[in-house]
Structure formats: structure tokens, C-alpha cells
Amino acid sequence: MSALPLRSVTPQNSIRDTLQTTLDLQRAAYLADPVPTLAERKADLRQLQRFIRENKAALVQALNADYGNRSEHETLFAEIFPVIDGINHTLSRLKGWMKPQHRGVDWRNFLGARNRVIPQPLGVVGCIVPWNFPINLSFLGLVYIFAAGNRAMVKMSENSRHLAQLLIDKMPAYFPREKLAFFDETGGVGIEFSQLKFDHLLFTGSGQTGRAVMAAAAQNLCPVTLELGGKAPAIVCEDFPVRKAAERLLFVKLFNAGQICTTVDYLFLPKGKTEEFVQEAKRIVAKRYPQLDTPDLTSIIDQRSFERLSAALDDAQARGATLVQLTPGPKWDAATRKIAPHLVLNAPEDCALLQREIFGPILPIIEYSHIDEPIHYINSRPRPLAIYPFSNDTEQVQMLLDRVMSGGVSVNDGLFHVGQHDLPFGGVGESGMGHYHGYEGFVTFSKMRPVFYQASFSSIQYLWPPYGKFATKMLNFLTK
């Protein structure tokens, strides 16, 4: 009998083997201790928090290196603080979340029985994390994964090399590999990762990649939570002050240089108010970002994204759009990958700035004559991850909430619904599926297990065959 051929050892095989070995290790650890106690879960959360606090400066530095220039204040505000605060929020509520829920029983059939819903860990959860807020989007997911009693494997983005190396180097001192493992994207890792037989998979990223991840997970019947992007609009209504809208919108739009999946992607203004908004925007941005090389203005993440954005601006202008540059000096700097904040007026409907998610410091403005126009415009496109209505008229706000569906909403501001620990975060339709954050995050990563406890005496015995007159009378009574 001839010997079996040896399987060739390739980098892809090595990646696959490393991932599968880690998954097997974590699953074995889960099966040995499937339901961690409240004290164990709290200890995991405090350990996560300790890691963030003890490595805060290194985390900020790693993100700055990955971006080329990432505002330190933006990292502290949007990445470090939400994780520390989110852990505190979860620690104070976890005991209540873990309690079995009492559910009602039909006393006519099940007198003396009990119903409970018991939250139990799923097992091993996979997380695929994007580059734009990689600490926030990895660690806040881990907060609810650990709160639910699970173990986790996390795959970082290829644009987060410095951060990924830091996490891979430092995390083993805080968590054993059978509890938490991080992986860098070295080519092909994401594909192999999404094909693993996790008990749940959390993906944050583009819709295109999300489709591929969901298709791969479907081969294992692995449930997924997809947090995707899309074009989130703001709608300034006739009654809302333009200056206040500009002050709030431009903070959100230019935070992280617009590289946020839930930022304001385009803006609807009442007809005749664009010039006022433009003047306010020039005043605001000149004060906040007086020049292109200010450290407060974050760089575009990579050369490909920089070229895409600069080309989109040039194309829109060549086709008749008016570009309003809000920071004096050059439009952009290729060496630092910084792009000056821009408003875009009268952009052609089919241009890239109105057709795809912008992910940059560029805000197209669309004027409307009647509120039905933005409603129709938004509803004729894929459902966005968020909408941002600006109005002091509560009836008008409610009308917009009723008629325009989105993943989430911030009223009279942008983005900040995402920062509420007690609100679920998630998309709808093409902007995603499923939720995490808060109690809904705990539920997402738990099996909310229904358990029926039969009483010592079961009235169902009167319905055992052979069926007689009593069974007939009883069923007639129950089905009246």
C-alpha cells in the first residue's frame, strides 16, 4: 500500500491551523466551564478595563502611527473613554441581566408548572474589527461577550498594524489564549477567520465585505451580527436655527476626518438657507481647524482612501458642483494624507459623493422645498445606519421617525445615540442586522434559553390516549 501524500505546508495552511487550534482551545475551555459565575465575569471585565488604563498611552501612540496623524483627543474621547465607561455601566447591571426571567404559564393546562428564560453563554465568539475605531469596536464588543460569559477571538484590520501588534504582544499578560486571542491581518486571515465554526460572529465594516462574511458564516449556520455603513443623512427642518445645526453637524462630520460609519454623510437644508449655512461653516471650521496641518485634524487612513476622496472632489467639481473649502490654504496634502474640510453644493446625482459612503471630511448639501422631498429621497435608497432630524417641533420629529426607517437616530445632533450605553446599536436592511451595546449586547451573545419545569402533578395526563369523552369535553372547552 502506497503512503498517503503529505499535505503541503503553505502560509494559508499555517493561518488556518493557527486559527483552528485557537478555536479548539477556547471551545474545550468553554466546555470545561460553560457558565462562568457573576464574580468570574466581573473579573474579566475589570481585567479588560485594567488593560486599557495601564496601556492608554501606548494605545494612543499605536493609533497615531496607524493613521499617520490621529488626534490624541479624539482617541481618548471616542476609543478609551467609551470602553472604560461602558465597563462601569455593565458591572453595575450585570447581576440583574444574569437573573433568570419569570414567564407566564397557562394554568388551564399546566397548573403548578413554571417557565423561566435563563441567559447562558453561547461559547466562542468571533469578532472582525475595522480600522476606523479599532479599540472601541473591539473592546466594547468584548465587554458584552465577556458579560455573557463567552470567550473571544478578534481579527484586526490590515490598517491597524501597530495596534494589532500591541494587542498581540501585551494581551497574554492579561488573558490566557483560551479566553481571548487577537490576530493581525497578514493576508487571507479574514477569509479563513470568517469560515471558522464560531457560536456567533460579530462583523463591523463595509456592506460588500459584510455580504462575504455572512455567506461564509452561513456555511456553518453561524449566527451573525453585522454592523455595516451607508449614507446617513441629516435633515435640518425649517424651524431649527442654522447656526446651531452647523455647530453640531460640523463637529460630528469632521471628527476623525469623517471616517465614521455613523457620521453625517449628506445634509438636507430648506431652500434658501444654504448660503447662511456656508457662512456659519466657514466661521466655525476656521476657528476649529485654522490650517490643514493642525494636529486636531486626523489624516485619511491610507493612500487608496486619500486618492478616492480627492478624485471624488475633482470629479464633482468638473461636473458642475461648487466646492466650498472651509480651511484656508491647500485643498489637501498627499504627504500627510490630510484633506481640508469641504462643503459640496449642487453635486450631480450620479457622482461618487452622492452614490457611495464618503468616509471623509466632505459634506454634500441638498436643498429641499417641502419635507416630503428628503423623505422620498432617503426612502428610495438603502436604509441608512442612522438619520439625524433637526427640529424643535416634536410632531415633525415624530413624523420623520415614523416615515423614515434607519438603524438608529440622534435628534438635534449627530452620532451620539451610539455613545449611549443603555441604547442598542445596530443597523437595518443594508446597514446591518442585530444589536449590541447595553442589555441588548448581553442578549446577543447569550442563548436566552427557555426552560419549562413541569409540576409534580401533570394535568396533561387527562389527554393521554386512548382519547375518551373527558378528552373531547376538555378540548372543546379549550377551543371555544
Side-chain angles (χ1 to χ4, degrees):
M1 183 177 179
S2 61
L4 292 173
L6 294 174
R7 186 183 68 173
S8 60
V9 178
T10 66
Q12 203 68 14
N13 287 339
S14 177
I15 291 167
R16 187 179 302 118
D17 291 345
T18 300
L19 291 171
Q20 187 62 54
T21 299
T22 306
L23 177 58
D24 292 344
L25 182 69
Q26 292 201 358
R27 178 149 293 126
Y30 158 73
L31 292 172
D33 181 21
V35 186
T37 64
L38 173 64
E40 290 171 325
R41 300 183 198 197
K42 284 188 170 183
D44 287 339
L45 293 173
R46 291 191 179 103
Q47 192 75 326
L48 271 184
Q49 196 175 64
R50 186 167 76 88
F51 174 86
I52 292 290
R53 283 179 167 145
E54 291 179 354
N55 295 277
K56 181 172 73 172
L59 291 166
V60 170
Q61 185 178 359
L63 274 179
N64 188 61
D66 283 329
Y67 269 86
N69 177 74
R70 173 66 169 309
S71 165
E72 177 182 354
H73 295 87
E74 291 183 353
T75 297
L76 293 171
F77 178 56
E79 307 254 29
I80 305 298
F81 167 69
V83 175
I84 292 174
D85 197 48
I87 290 172
N88 289 335
H89 176 272
T90 301
L91 286 170
S92 68
R93 289 160 174 79
L94 184 54
K95 183 177 180 180
W97 293 353
M98 289 175 63
K99 286 182 179 178
Q101 300 173 10
H102 293 243
R103 298 296 177 91
V105 176
D106 180 358
W107 63 266
R108 294 172 301 177
N109 284 334
F110 305 106
L111 187 64
R114 293 179 296 129
N115 283 335
R116 299 289 185 270
V117 173
I118 302 177
Q120 291 188 302
L122 292 171
V124 182
V125 179
C127 303
I128 299 177
V129 180
W131 52 263
N132 59 330
F133 290 99
I135 299 171
N136 182 309
L137 294 171
S138 56
F139 278 77
L140 274 181
L142 289 172
V143 168
Y144 304 109
I145 289 166
F146 283 175
N150 300 289
R151 298 163 190 275
M153 295 169 59
V154 184
K155 203 283 293 184
M156 305 300 290
S157 166
E158 62 184 0
N159 282 327
S160 299
R161 286 283 158 74
H162 294 87
L163 176 63
Q165 194 60 58
L166 174 67
L167 295 171
I168 291 167
D169 291 344
K170 296 284 189 181
M171 195 57 75
Y174 294 81
F175 289 98
R177 193 168 187 80
E178 59 266 25
K179 184 71 181 183
L180 175 61
F182 282 87
F183 299 89
D184 193 4
E185 178 55 78
T186 55
V189 178
I191 295 171
E192 298 292 344
F193 193 94
S194 62
Q195 293 173 350
L196 292 172
K197 194 172 178 59
F198 291 114
D199 298 296
H200 196 99
L201 183 59
L202 170 63
F203 169 83
T204 307
S206 71
Q208 180 180 359
T209 307
R211 286 180 172 88
V213 168
M214 189 174 181
Q219 300 305 307
N220 295 312
L221 295 180
C222 174
V224 296
T225 298
L226 300 179
E227 303 300 349
L228 309 177
K231 296 183 71 63
I235 309 164
V236 175
C237 296
E238 188 70 43
D239 70 296
F240 199 85
V242 169
R243 170 176 285 201
K244 183 184 287 189
E247 289 172 342
R248 296 178 180 183
L249 281 166
L250 289 167
F251 173 72
V252 169
K253 179 61 185 179
L254 302 182
F255 195 93
N256 205 42
Q259 297 167 108
I260 311 176
C261 60
T262 45
T263 195
V264 178
D265 199 84
Y266 60 106
L267 169 63
F268 286 104
L269 284 176
K271 197 170 188 63
K273 293 201 172 184
T274 297
E275 182 56 33
E276 182 183 358
F277 188 93
V278 167
Q279 294 309 313
E280 293 292 349
K282 287 180 177 179
R283 176 186 62 82
I284 293 164
V285 175
K287 183 177 180 181
R288 294 177 185 175
Y289 305 98
Q291 54 197 37
L292 191 61
D293 63 357
T294 173
D296 294 332
L297 183 61
T298 293
S299 295
I300 302 304
I301 188 63
D302 59 21
Q303 189 64 25
R304 182 178 63 179
S305 299
F306 174 83
E307 290 174 358
R308 174 182 62 81
L309 290 167
S310 54
L313 278 172
D314 282 344
D315 175 66
Q317 185 175 38
R319 297 172 61 197
T322 300
L323 305 188
V324 181
Q325 184 176 329
L326 300 177
T327 298
K331 286 202 298 186
W332 51 65
D333 179 3
T336 61
R337 298 193 309 278
K338 287 193 175 188
I339 294 179
H342 278 77
L343 303 178
V344 181
L345 314 180
N346 306 312
E349 176 58 36
D350 61 346
C351 74
L353 295 175
L354 292 181
Q355 290 298 314
R356 62 170 293 177
E357 190 174 8
I358 295 172
F359 239 63
I362 302 165
L363 182 62
I365 294 176
I366 302 173
E367 283 197 342
Y368 69 91
S369 299
H370 190 276
I371 195 65
D372 283 345
E373 293 169 24
I375 291 172
H376 174 74
Y377 186 99
I378 300 166
N379 285 340
S380 65
R381 287 156 176 76
R383 287 175 165 176
L385 188 54
I387 62 168
Y388 301 119
F390 285 73
S391 176
N392 293 316
D393 182 336
T394 55
E395 291 186 3
Q396 177 131 280
V397 170
Q398 188 59 49
M399 182 271 292
L400 289 169
L401 294 179
D402 291 342
R403 294 184 61 186
V404 182
M405 176 55 69
S406 67
V409 184
S410 291
V411 177
N412 294 341
D413 215 322
L415 184 64
F416 293 122
H417 65 286
V418 180
Q420 311 308 307
H421 295 304
D422 215 25
L423 283 180
F425 171 66
V428 60
E430 292 189 38
S431 59
M433 63 178 69
H435 295 91
Y436 71 112
H437 289 195
Y439 175 67
E440 283 76 9
F442 174 82
V443 170
T444 289
F445 301 117
S446 297
K447 168 58 182 173
M448 303 301 286
R449 199 171 183 186
V451 182
F452 168 75
Y453 297 87
Q454 182 61 284
S456 56
F457 172 81
S458 173
S459 60
I460 294 296
Q461 70 187 47
Y462 295 115
L463 291 176
W464 293 347
Y467 303 116
K469 291 182 179 179
F470 183 82
T472 300
K473 289 181 179 179
M474 187 174 179
L475 288 168
N476 285 336
F477 168 73
L478 293 173
T479 58
K480 280 199 288 189

